[in-house]
Amino acid sequence: MKTTLGVSSLWLALVPAIVTAAEPASGETTMGSSHQIFNVAGGREMDLLRCVTSQKQKSPERRPTSSRDNHQKHDSVPAGMEEEIMSLSEAEEAEMLKKALAPPRAEELRCNLPTSVWIKKFHAALSSASHDRIARVGIWGGSHMVAEFFTAELRQALQDRYGVGGAGHINLLYGRPGLNLPVRAFCRTGEWREELPPRMVGSTKMNAGLGLYTMTANKPHSSLEIDLRSTRATYRAQHVVVHFLRQPEGGTFELIVDGENLGTLDTEGPRAIGAVEVKAIMPLSRIELRVTEAKSVTLLGLFAEDHQGAVLDNFGIAGAAGNYWRSIEPELLRAAVSERPYDAVILAYGTNDVTGEHWNPERYRQDYRQTLIAIRAALPQAACILITPGDRATRFYVKKVVKVKAGKSKNVNKTQLTTHYDLQTFPQRHAQAAVIQRELGDEYQCTVWDMSLVMREMGGAYALMKRSPPWMSNDLIHLTPAGYREMSRRFVTWLELWSSKAH
């Protein structure tokens, strides 16, 4: 395996305060991975990073496309008719609500309570880990997780209880719709190509890591630069790790930390997970990864944390489906977990898995089982939580003939559009998906929090949209920021995560 560190002894002698060691020079290999370490001083305060070029990147050929079912769009309304759409009358609304899925029964709500034995084990694992090292929780899901509203509340609760371990995963797909990051700034220059797994499982496995994505550049000077400091002052990035793909035709990239070039890393070699780690005595401000030649450099993730406490790695990707896990090369996933182990994992899939006119629950059961098999193959010992898809409704439009006053004494008939809602199809599907997740969760040692049940107890998606202020967005798929925060607080309460000291 070729593992070149382009750091000369002369350069190290010139900047002893910045780099005290770079090891191992020959690279370490564990389960298909190689690991390289830089020890630095840190503590250099830098100006706020400002992006000077566009952050746009090439659209990947395999990026999932949004189906009509997954993203209801207003462009299905005839042009020029938007202002004429009429709301439901009280009588129409009452008739529609009669057809809604019934509120959850008491026994259903009882089934959604976690077992005390599991809760004790979950907290014991995090408590033990956080005293000696970073206690890590990873969360994977779709758009409900990606915007950080839900996960920010969860991260706060974890760190109130077990210590502030830092921001965690810095998603390199930044720039995709809806993706927010717990850092100050993220700048991209040059041409980067992102790749995501296909929604439908194909024959070819994708070479990726924990993030289930890749970011690739093959032109010199293409770079990613991140201001690691968070708007939350307590986050300290003293330990930064970059995961990349070793590949036979891999290129090189420079590693620049707080303005100092630590060296050049070569990604050429047998296919494996590569990792470069920066350990600092004082907090770091910036990291830059800069491609140096016209060969492919493929990045798989970046992680920023302290030396102790709890970290929540958010791996949410808008449009993601549970099948993503089945499309990744299993050996690389195991190697990535070996590099970055987890005490607990949370899976929040389902909304993108139950779309289509002919959704089949048994097919969903088969697919979700394979997802859990893939996850347990990579993470056999981690405490596991499944978050089901929340409640959802569908908006559609119906033509309606109404009488309007055209003059002082003349009424005429006019066709307008009135908004209607389907409060049965997707609530029923999500309820079925939740039952399937619970049954399979028991089989694969995962406990389940049924978000659709929680939302139905609050009146369902339509009622949450009608709140003032609303907790559901107008698309009736996604919650508002306030809605996500409320759901997260309820999840945190379910998880018995509130610290008696903090709350």
Side-chain angles (χ1 to χ4, degrees), residues 132-254:
D132 305 319
R133 56 174 174 82
I134 289 290
R136 294 196 188 97
V137 179
I139 185 165
W140 287 263
S143 53
H144 292 308
M145 300 297 117
V146 73
E148 273 287 301
F149 301 120
F150 185 100
T151 51
E153 292 288 327
L154 176 57
R155 185 183 291 110
Q156 176 80 54
L158 279 167
Q159 295 182 342
D160 283 348
R161 180 76 172 264
Y162 296 113
V164 181
H169 176 235
I170 310 301
N171 197 319
L172 301 181
L173 297 176
Y174 183 68
R176 287 178 61 86
L179 178 58
N180 293 316
L181 297 177
V183 295
R184 281 194 185 177
F186 185 115
C187 299
R188 179 185 295 116
T189 60
E191 294 184 2
W192 290 87
R193 184 183 71 256
E194 65 183 53
E195 184 177 12
L196 301 178
R199 286 255 190 97
M200 302 301 294
V201 178
S203 57
T204 302
K205 298 289 187 182
M206 180 178 167
N207 295 310
L210 291 165
L212 313 183
Y213 67 81
T214 64
M215 283 290 290
T216 300
N218 54 18
K219 291 187 178 180
H221 310 301
S222 296
S223 70
L224 303 179
E225 187 171 9
I226 298 140
D227 191 325
L228 298 168
R229 296 165 295 184
S230 174
T231 51
R232 182 179 175 187
T234 50
Y235 284 168
R236 292 161 56 91
Q238 290 184 246
H239 183 202
V240 178
V241 179
V242 179
H243 284 190
F244 57 89
L245 180 66
R246 286 203 171 278
Q247 50 192 326
E249 301 300 322
T252 56
F253 68 92
E254 293 176 321

Side-chain angles (χ1 to χ4, degrees), residues 95-102 354 359 390-396 420-433 452 456 459-462 476:
E95 187 63 28
M96 177 192 71
L97 291 174
K98 289 179 183 178
K99 302 175 183 178
L101 196 65
V354 300
W359 179 69
D391 192 50
R392 172 190 169 184
T394 306
R395 182 197 304 270
F396 61 97
H420 280 244
Y421 303 90
D422 176 358
L423 304 186
Q424 286 186 320
T425 301
F426 283 101
Q428 287 175 344
R429 287 186 184 186
H430 287 200
Q432 285 179 285
S452 69
R456 282 170 50 212
Y462 182 77
L476 289 161

Side-chain angles (χ1 to χ4, degrees), residues 106-131:
E107 54 267 34
E108 289 181 279
L109 296 174
R110 283 195 295 271
C111 287
N112 203 32
L113 297 174
T115 62
S116 59
V117 172
W118 187 93
I119 286 289
K120 288 177 181 177
K121 287 184 178 180
F122 173 82
H123 287 289
L126 292 181
S127 178
S128 175
S130 62
H131 284 133

